Amino acid sequence: GYVRGGLVIKFQLLLSCRSGKLTPTQVAKNIIAMLEDCDKSTPPLRAIVQWDQEQIMLMAEASTTRYRNKCTLSCLDGIPVCLKEEFKVVPYHHRVGTVYLGTQPETEDATVARKLREAGAIIIGVSNMHELGTGTTGCNPNRYHKIPRNPYNPNHFTGGSSSGSAAAVAAGLCPVAIGTDGGGSVRIPASFCGVVGLKGTFGRISGHGSLPLSYSTVSVGPICTSVADAAIVYSILAEPDLLYPYGLNQPKATLSDMCAPDLKGLKLGVDWTFFKACDAEILSACEKAVKHLQSLGASVVEVSLPEMEEARVAHVICILSEMRDFLQPDFNKHFHEMNLETRASLALACQFTALDYIKANRQRTRSMRFLQEIFSTVNCILTPAVPCTAPRIYESDLLTGSSDMTCTVRCMRFMQLGNFTGIPGLVVPIGYSAAGLPISLQVMAKWWDEAVLLRIGLKLEQFRDQTKKPSIYYDILA
């Protein structure tokens, strides 16, 4: 059968084999052939939007030499990865989903790109994204990007804004991708594409070298084939960075008790009224997944998440106000080069006042205090990841883009609390809808406690009795 779990570990075993049949060089050659195929397919996958054969082969050959000499750099040595176009990655254009940014190739890596290189990873390119991260579908009709397709059904969106990152992992092009998450931008596409997405605590993984669209809501995190892979990437990337002040005083990242045999002693908080605000198919799968966690010794504790509507509105005010502030020169100078949806979002952001922003941040303080109290009684909070499955792509979306505010707001329903308050969140695929589209559950924990998310996530993976192969899938190990 088709099994996807722990691809980084599988890679390691195969690459370490003394037979030498599989090398990073051979994997890189496979990927290059598949990237060419992606571009020619109907419709094109549009997961990776910039790649360079020479760059890929240079990294792969250096890794092959290290394996031969038994001096690998880390668990990620030889592992193919991609980064969202929001990050600076040498020598690609830092376009951030636009047609007007990144006119020259980058000469300096973002911190996460540098750390991945130092770990020996093979950067296969930069991935597609929703223009300037302003939406949740991944719909980006401009000439450099086009619309990435959901590997489970190419007539459906991937989710956004880290759209190409999720599509690349789901389609098998790489087991690891890096995204950013200001309103669900890692977790929504990971959920829609049936892969694992981790939003670290605010400041946990350095955002230096990514476009600072919203300085109070955006976290960086990996999108991976499995929870084990996410844990490996997290352990390599999560540490203070002198160039990124928000995470300087963080406690040391650990994976404590991640592989405990059961979940005994853990208390899982659920606000059932909030939890049930989703489609019936999704609710049914998520309720069964919660029972599975109970069967492993965890107890479910009913909690109340207060002022969720106030927090939702306040998050929108914060993220849009900050984006509008940062993008004011772009809005004035490049308005006609932006997608229609981006223009509408930034125009809406002009309506917020300084008073609105101050009130929104007072709400943030309240919401964080509520969470402090809740996390004194439970280890985590469970919700569905997204209330619906991936939306359909219509012909008009390909030409003019998509602007469906109801859909955007709905997709972010379970996401915004994590962005607004800075707590970490993990989404894990748990099943499929009748139409074969992925469904995921979300686990959120207190600040800096990613370890408990990964522990629960590993057990959550066992709930899904089968992993369906996406309709677009490349086996880069073949």
Side-chain angles (χ1 to χ4, degrees):
Y2 166 72
V3 180
R4 179 186 269 156
L7 263 188
V8 168
I9 295 158
K10 184 179 175 185
F11 261 98
Q12 281 293 308
L13 290 169
L14 288 169
L15 293 175
S16 300
C17 280
R18 294 200 177 158
S19 66
K21 282 180 185 169
L22 187 76
T23 64
T25 302
Q26 183 55 55
V27 172
K29 285 176 182 172
N30 294 349
I31 290 169
I32 289 163
M34 288 157 186
L35 287 171
E36 287 169 347
D37 183 72
C38 285
D39 287 344
K40 292 174 193 156
S41 63
T42 309
L45 180 63
R46 298 307 294 161
I48 306 293
V49 287
Q50 298 181 60
W51 58 278
D52 182 290
Q53 180 170 337
E54 191 181 341
Q55 291 288 322
I56 296 170
M57 291 308 298
L58 277 172
M59 286 181 272
E61 283 159 8
S63 180
T64 298
T65 302
R66 290 192 294 271
Y67 272 95
R68 202 172 286 135
N69 296 333
K70 297 185 172 54
C71 60
T72 50
L73 297 171
S74 80
C75 290
L76 290 184
D77 206 326
I79 304 298
V81 305
C82 69
L83 291 97
K84 185 180 186 177
E85 201 181 57
E86 198 168 323
F87 293 98
K88 293 180 179 180
V89 183
V90 179
Y92 302 109
H93 295 266
H94 188 217
R95 291 191 178 121
V96 199
T98 72
V99 295
Y100 66 85
L101 286 171
T103 53
Q104 298 298 316
E106 266 317 308
T107 55
E108 189 182 334
D109 277 329
T111 296
V112 285
R114 176 181 57 76
K115 287 178 78 74
L116 288 167
R117 280 191 213 277
E118 288 169 354
I122 300 169
I123 297 173
I124 66 167
V126 294
S127 47
N128 206 341
M129 64 176 286
H130 206 105
E131 186 179 67
L132 294 167
T134 54
T136 60
T137 57
C139 183
N140 188 351
N142 74 41
R143 67 179 182 272
Y144 286 137
H145 298 87
K146 302 299 178 193
I147 296 172
R149 304 297 180 133
N150 191 316
Y152 275 92
N153 185 329
N155 295 319
H156 288 252
F157 284 118
T158 55
S161 62
S162 309
S163 50
S165 296
V169 172
L173 291 171
C174 52
V176 173
I178 307 299
T180 60
D181 190 317
S185 286
V186 160
R187 292 162 293 156
I188 293 168
S191 304
F192 282 164
C193 293
V195 289
V196 172
L198 172 65
K199 179 197 93 72
T201 304
F202 178 74
R204 177 62 105 176
I205 297 173
S206 174
H208 174 73
S210 66
L211 201 72
L213 293 164
S214 166
Y215 47 82
S216 77
T217 68
V218 176
S219 294
V220 178
I223 294 173
C224 298
T225 47
S226 70
V227 174
D229 290 353
I232 290 168
V233 180
Y234 165 75
S235 66
I236 286 171
L237 296 181
E239 65 176 2
D241 173 15
L242 291 173
L243 300 171
Y244 187 68
Y246 302 120
L248 284 179
N249 295 318
Q250 62 178 275
K252 189 168 173 55
T254 71
L255 300 176
S256 59
D257 295 329
M258 181 179 149
C259 297
D262 54 41
L263 298 177
K264 282 178 186 162
L266 288 186
K267 293 177 179 174
L268 318 176
V270 180
D271 179 331
W272 286 110
T273 305
F274 187 55
F275 191 100
K276 289 176 179 177
C278 61
D279 291 350
E281 259 185 318
I282 288 174
L283 178 60
S284 172
C286 289
E287 284 179 331
K288 286 175 189 162
V290 173
K291 283 182 180 155
H292 166 74
L293 296 177
Q294 277 182 289
S295 74
L296 292 166
S299 56
V300 171
V301 177
E302 211 163 321
V303 296
S304 170
L305 294 170
E307 299 179 9
M308 287 304 292
E309 182 60 16
E310 290 84 348
R312 183 185 71 77
V313 173
H315 167 264
V316 171
I317 291 168
C318 285
I319 190 169
L320 282 182
S321 297
E322 290 167 9
M323 289 176 89
R324 177 62 202 243
D325 170 50
F326 180 73
L327 294 168
Q328 183 67 30
D330 299 43
F331 192 66
N332 293 338
K333 193 176 174 186
H334 298 284
F335 179 82
H336 292 290
E337 295 171 273
M338 292 175 169
N339 289 335
L340 294 172
E341 183 189 12
T342 308
R343 295 184 213 172
S345 298
L346 293 176
L348 168 65
C350 315
Q351 305 306 308
F352 299 132
T353 66
L355 190 59
D356 293 329
Y357 187 71
I358 291 165
K359 283 184 175 175
N361 277 286
R362 285 181 179 150
Q363 179 61 46
R364 195 198 307 260
T365 304
R366 286 177 66 83
S367 295
M368 290 173 81
R369 282 186 182 149
F370 292 142
L371 285 177
Q372 270 181 320
E373 287 175 29
I374 289 167
F375 286 126
S376 69
T377 60
V378 297
N379 300 94
C380 70
I381 295 167
L382 302 179
T383 71
V386 193
C388 54
T389 53
R392 190 172 175 75
I393 298 171
Y394 293 97
E395 282 298 311
S396 60
D397 301 335
L398 306 176
L399 302 170
T400 56
S402 167
S403 185
D404 182 343
M405 201 50 79
T406 308
C407 175
T408 301
V409 168
R410 193 157 190 244
C411 288
M412 295 196 325
R413 175 178 291 144
F414 298 119
M415 300 286 145
Q416 292 171 281
L417 184 64
N419 296 111
F420 189 48
T421 62
I423 59 173
L426 177 75
V427 296
V428 180
I430 56 164
Y432 306 90
S433 69
L437 291 165
I439 295 170
S440 296
L441 188 79
Q442 176 175 234
V443 194
M444 293 181 284
K446 68 178 181 289
W447 301 269
W448 316 115
D449 197 7
E450 288 87 351
V452 80
L453 298 184
L454 295 163
R455 177 181 171 186
I456 294 166
L458 274 179
K459 295 293 183 274
L460 205 48
E461 276 181 322
Q462 299 168 1
F463 167 70
R464 193 171 43 164
D465 55 354
Q466 65 169 141
T467 305
K468 290 182 185 171
K469 189 174 182 176
S471 58
I472 302 172
Y473 186 75
Y474 295 94
D475 185 355
I476 58 175
L477 299 179

